[in-house]
Amino acid sequence: MSKNTVKRRDFVKILTGAAVATTIARNPFSPTNLVSKGLGAVEQGRYEWVMVIDQAKCIGCNFCTFACKAVNDTPPDIYWNLVFTEKSIGTQMIYISKPCMQCEDPPCVAVCPAHATYERSIDGIVVVDYDKCVGCRYCMAACPYGARYFNWKKPTETNLYIPKWGTPEVPRRPRGVVEKCTFCIQRLDKAIRENLTPGVDPEVTPACVNACPTGARNFGNLRGVVGHPKFGLIPTQVIRARGVQLLKELGTLPRVYYLPPVVV
Amino acid sequence: MESKRLPLFEAWITSLIALLALGVYAAYLIFTQGLIVTGMDDVVVWGIWITADLSFIALSAGAFMSSGIVYLFRAEKFKPILRVAILIGLIGYLCTLLTLVMDIGRPERFYYPYIFPGTHSVMWEIYWCITIYTTMLVIEIAPIVGESEIAEKRFPFVTRIGNWLHKNMIVFATIGVFASLLHQASLGALYGIVKAHPVWYKPTMPILFIISAMAAGPCTIIVVSMITSKALRRELVSKEVLYELGKISGFILAAYIVFKAWDTLAMGYAYYPLRSEQLALLSGSLYNVLFWGGEIILGGIVPAIILAIPRLRRTPIGLFTASILVMVGLVLFRFDVNVYGLMAAYMSSFYLLPGRLTPFLEPILVGYTPTWVEWAAFLGVFSFGALVYTLGVKYLPIFTHEEETVHK
């Protein structure tokens, strides 16, 4: 009996110690937690990732959606990127494709009670920590763009987009957490680590941009170069002058710019 | 007579247990298959469960109000309703917690907001307030449990703890009142701060939530104690106290109607981008009936008239009807805000102007139909609450007023 008690007490001690250690190690206020795992402290403000979608070039082929589904291994009913048909100008159709807007002032981050969705301090990309997400779905109600998706069930289906459209680079998300487009952070991390240039080097450019057959989608650093690996660069002055951000009036400061077609 | 009453009680308990079993089966489906078994989707992310949570919390507001009235304002005449108010409050919060555990995607992580605090979130504040207030309710009910026969005979330490807590109850009551005032309003702010939904995004939300909760809280006490009195065939709470309670509720209801009228007129009068279009869309749906017929007329104006006229208020049937109507109006208010606010969605698209495309929002009304699992889980939780209440009244000194002498 006494042996049992000692064991239990030791167990409780170990458990308490582990809990305290975890809390200290994962303290959200500690500066180390704010920097993405695996990356050193890089000076802030060096990266301003933007996605530029030229609607005059978009033909609505949905290749971006398929590549995204393969590389990020999303379940069949979850699309991190979607292409909608908009209007037609004469015979020409206008499409709008919507990834996560990666707001600079994201409403979803402000409402998360568990600090599970946050902005990486290195480049401000909004990501979800799938190990912390409680699944309350407040962020989905708060997102003005409908860019967030909930795993209503355990993803068990085989992904039909593999291997035709790419190979998965991130593990599947478990049931009951929220997920969304990350601008392929695994590739951006590689770019920062190996000093490559997204928008020029295809291996560090988001999958949807690489898959675009017309060069409608472009990616890059607004403080550096923005472009498509195959179709060349877009001058940043053009983006600043002609770029349109969705729901700009809400003050979310999206990192996705649309270049609307000029109709004559 | 006794033999006639017993089968009724057993039938009541049996039906509650049957409903509870149905709820447990629904919970089993939810925990094994995930929230896919519900009618919610990526647009309508919160359904009837969150509506039920909001309603449980608001209808439990009588607990903090009566402990505020009795302990802080020292209005001794309301002492007879204090115990039943606290019991209803505790049950309401327990039901809320039970529903939330089913509603969140990862129930095993329910404590994460405490260890990974998202300090900028309204929901985080609500998490803490609900935790603190539920603890306070447990503390407030401890002396009542300690006074019960079972505790006095078999667990004297419960009685000792209860007595000690009772002596210091003013401290816990004060904490409870403040935690309640905070989160009853914050539950409105939860919606009021969301820019993505123009129907929600307005500063009146927290005000309307707290005032409506304070109007409906006393009504719950009135309805529950009247039903219990009827079932036990005894006058458990004197009619005078209930009439007074109805008067308090009537005053707060009048204030609520004033704020509601201000809010409704302001929304209709001024153009607000997208909100005006969404409201026009909503007024063509069932929302129109629920809002004007349910919230405003049946849940607001009619009970306000009944409670304002002493001749109507001071009859059991008048008081009971008015109280039920106030409760129904509150539940409809929470339902309209939560479910219809999410159903009024929009597509962000581009609008063709000469020369270029500019961003444009197109309001749409999406559908939401709760599945039987959602209803079964809700009924299970509700019957759990009713069962706890029944057993509480049976075994705890809820409706006995001798404690006044003990207190002195």
Side-chain angles (χ1 to χ4, degrees):
Chain A
M1 191 64 203
S2 63
K3 215 175 165 187
N4 236 343
T5 327
V6 170
K7 260 187 188 167
R8 194 180 303 144
R9 193 166 291 167
D10 281 352
F11 178 68
V12 169
K13 264 185 201 165
I14 292 164
L15 212 65
T16 320
V20 170
T22 327
T23 317
I24 292 169
R26 308 192 67 174
N27 177 7
F29 298 117
S30 83
T32 48
N33 198 45
L34 295 172
V35 178
S36 170
K37 285 163 205 154
L39 296 172
V42 178
E43 69 198 77
Q44 278 194 36
R46 235 177 96 181
Y47 304 103
E48 193 181 343
W49 306 124
V50 289
M51 190 172 283
V52 182
I53 299 174
D54 191 341
Q55 292 191 294
K57 290 184 189 166
C58 181
I59 54 169
C61 64
N62 257 319
F63 283 14
C64 45
T65 310
F66 304 152
C68 173
K69 281 192 78 66
V71 168
N72 292 302
D73 201 4
T74 59
D77 45 352
I78 292 180
Y79 297 87
W80 286 4
N81 177 77
L82 265 177
V83 181
F84 298 96
T85 310
E86 279 305 311
K87 311 270 170 185
S88 57
I89 305 170
T91 53
Q92 191 196 349
M93 300 292 279
I94 305 292
Y95 301 94
I96 178 171
S97 77
K98 285 197 278 193
C100 168
M101 297 291 146
Q102 300 290 357
C103 309
E104 255 177 71
D105 190 1
C108 53
V109 167
V111 301
C112 181
H115 213 271
T117 186
Y118 59 98
E119 281 182 282
R120 307 202 304 173
S121 70
I122 189 168
D123 50 9
I125 294 296
V126 181
V127 287
V128 182
D129 189 336
Y130 308 119
D131 295 333
K132 276 191 192 172
C133 179
V134 183
C136 70
R137 309 189 289 285
Y138 193 13
C139 55
M140 299 173 72
C143 175
Y145 305 100
R148 292 181 157 258
Y149 297 88
F150 186 70
N151 283 282
W152 297 97
K153 61 178 192 294
K154 193 180 176 201
T156 46
E157 299 90 343
T158 46
N159 193 336
L160 300 173
Y161 298 93
I162 301 169
K164 194 185 171 194
W165 294 95
T167 47
E169 291 171 7
V170 284
R172 270 196 175 184
R173 277 67 53 189
R175 186 185 100 192
V177 300
V178 172
E179 62 179 66
K180 67 170 196 70
C181 159
T182 62
F183 269 8
C184 288
I185 41 164
Q186 69 279 9
R187 298 188 179 193
L188 297 182
D189 283 352
K190 193 181 173 195
I192 294 168
R193 249 191 337 263
E194 298 175 11
N195 215 6
L196 297 168
T197 315
V200 176
D201 301 311
E203 71 269 31
V204 293
T205 308
C208 56
V209 176
N210 285 339
C212 186
T214 61
R217 283 177 104 91
N218 298 272
F219 191 83
N221 187 352
L222 200 56
R223 296 172 191 206
V225 291
V226 180
H228 188 286
K230 274 187 222 142
F231 294 88
L233 303 179
I234 294 184
T236 48
Q237 299 95 306
V238 173
I239 302 163
R240 288 189 201 275
R242 281 188 53 222
V244 177
Q245 291 157 299
L246 267 183
L247 291 178
K248 201 180 165 188
E249 62 275 17
L250 293 185
T252 48
L253 302 171
R255 286 195 179 86
V256 176
Y257 291 82
Y258 293 91
L259 297 179
V262 177
V263 188
V264 186
Chain B
M1 287 305 272
E2 249 348 82
S3 59
K4 223 178 173 183
R5 225 183 68 196
L6 263 173
L8 201 71
F9 178 75
E10 275 159 10
W12 166 245
I13 292 285
T14 315
S15 51
L16 284 184
I17 288 173
L19 277 178
L20 189 60
L22 184 70
V24 169
Y25 177 63
Y28 167 77
L29 287 181
I30 293 155
F31 290 137
T32 49
Q33 294 175 27
L35 291 169
I36 190 79
V37 294
T38 68
M40 296 183 275
D41 58 34
D42 286 327
V43 180
V44 185
V45 291
W46 294 333
I48 57 166
W49 288 344
I50 294 288
T51 310
D53 292 339
L54 296 170
S55 308
F56 282 138
I57 288 181
L59 295 175
S60 306
F64 93 83
M65 287 174 73
S66 39
S67 35
I69 290 170
V70 172
Y71 288 112
L72 300 184
F73 295 114
R74 302 263 170 206
E76 296 281 320
K77 73 173 163 185
F78 287 108
K79 217 150 186 197
I81 52 129
L82 181 61
R83 294 186 160 199
V84 67
I86 288 169
L87 182 65
I88 294 170
L90 182 63
I91 289 167
Y93 277 78
L94 289 181
C95 287
T96 305
L97 297 180
L98 271 181
T99 320
L100 278 178
V101 162
M102 287 188 281
D103 201 359
I104 62 175
R106 310 286 303 188
E108 79 279 12
R109 297 180 183 168
F110 74 93
Y111 59 92
Y112 274 24
Y114 308 120
I115 58 169
F116 307 119
T119 41
H120 33 53
S121 172
V122 185
M123 196 177 266
W124 185 73
E125 189 241 314
I126 293 172
Y127 244 88
W128 271 110
C129 281
I130 290 186
T131 315
I132 292 168
Y133 188 53
T134 311
T135 316
M136 290 311 133
L137 281 171
V138 171
I139 288 173
E140 285 184 51
I141 208 155
I144 306 175
V145 177
E147 264 180 42
S148 68
E149 259 179 61
I150 306 167
E152 273 176 350
K153 274 187 196 148
R154 289 206 217 148
F155 309 102
F157 70 97
V158 176
T159 314
R160 274 203 302 280
I161 295 172
N163 286 341
W164 182 81
L165 288 172
H166 198 142
K167 271 182 225 147
N168 303 295
M169 197 50 85
I170 180 115
V171 179
F172 305 117
T174 313
I175 297 171
V177 168
F178 279 101
S180 275
L181 285 171
L182 271 172
H183 76 263
Q184 294 278 7
S186 299
L187 282 169
L190 188 79
Y191 295 96
I193 59 152
V194 175
K195 279 186 188 175
H197 291 269
V199 192
W200 289 348
Y201 187 59
K202 52 188 183 184
T204 45
M205 275 301 200
I207 303 168
L208 287 175
F209 264 63
I210 192 160
I211 301 183
S212 60
M214 287 173 77
C219 293
T220 323
I221 302 174
I222 294 171
V223 167
V224 171
S225 36
M226 282 177 107
I227 291 176
T228 318
S229 300
K230 200 89 188 160
L232 298 182
R233 291 168 191 175
R234 273 192 292 139
E235 193 181 69
L236 298 168
V237 182
S238 82
K239 289 270 186 313
E240 268 320 299
V241 175
L242 292 185
Y243 293 150
E244 282 296 303
L245 215 53
K247 200 166 141 193
I248 293 176
S249 173
F251 274 114
I252 302 172
L253 189 66
Y256 168 65
I257 290 173
V258 170
F259 277 101
K260 190 91 175 171
W262 164 45
D263 177 57
T264 312
L265 292 174
M267 274 204 300
Y269 185 72
Y271 176 78
Y272 187 88
L274 197 60
R275 181 197 290 158
S276 302
E277 286 91 344
Q278 284 187 338
L279 286 175
L281 202 63
L282 280 174
S283 60
S285 68
L286 184 66
Y287 175 84
N288 215 18
V289 181
L290 292 179
F291 181 81
W292 291 106
E295 277 186 56
I296 303 285
I297 297 173
L298 274 183
I301 293 169
V302 172
I305 290 171
I306 298 176
L307 293 175
I309 302 171
R311 199 155 43 86
L312 294 175
R313 184 182 72 231
R314 298 180 73 83
T315 56
I317 185 79
L319 187 67
F320 188 79
T321 316
S323 305
I324 285 274
L325 286 178
V326 174
M327 289 168 73
V328 170
L330 177 120
V331 174
L332 283 178
F333 173 38
R334 299 299 194 264
F335 180 79
D336 286 347
V337 167
N338 181 51
V339 175
Y340 274 98
L342 284 164
M343 279 164 71
Y346 52 82
M347 298 282 289
S348 42
S349 63
F350 282 81
Y351 183 64
L352 186 61
L353 282 178
R356 62 192 298 142
L357 297 170
T358 38
F360 173 71
L361 300 174
E362 199 186 332
I364 47 164
L365 205 61
V366 295
Y368 161 69
T369 318
T371 57
W372 74 267
V373 178
E374 278 176 276
W375 286 113
F378 163 71
L379 284 176
V381 169
F382 187 83
S383 59
F384 164 79
L387 201 61
V388 173
Y389 177 78
T390 313
L391 296 178
V393 171
K394 198 168 166 60
Y395 294 108
L396 298 179
I398 298 294
F399 287 108
T400 45
H401 313 147
E402 292 87 13
E403 89 278 3
E404 281 158 47
T405 50
V406 176
H407 185 50
K408 278 161 195 167

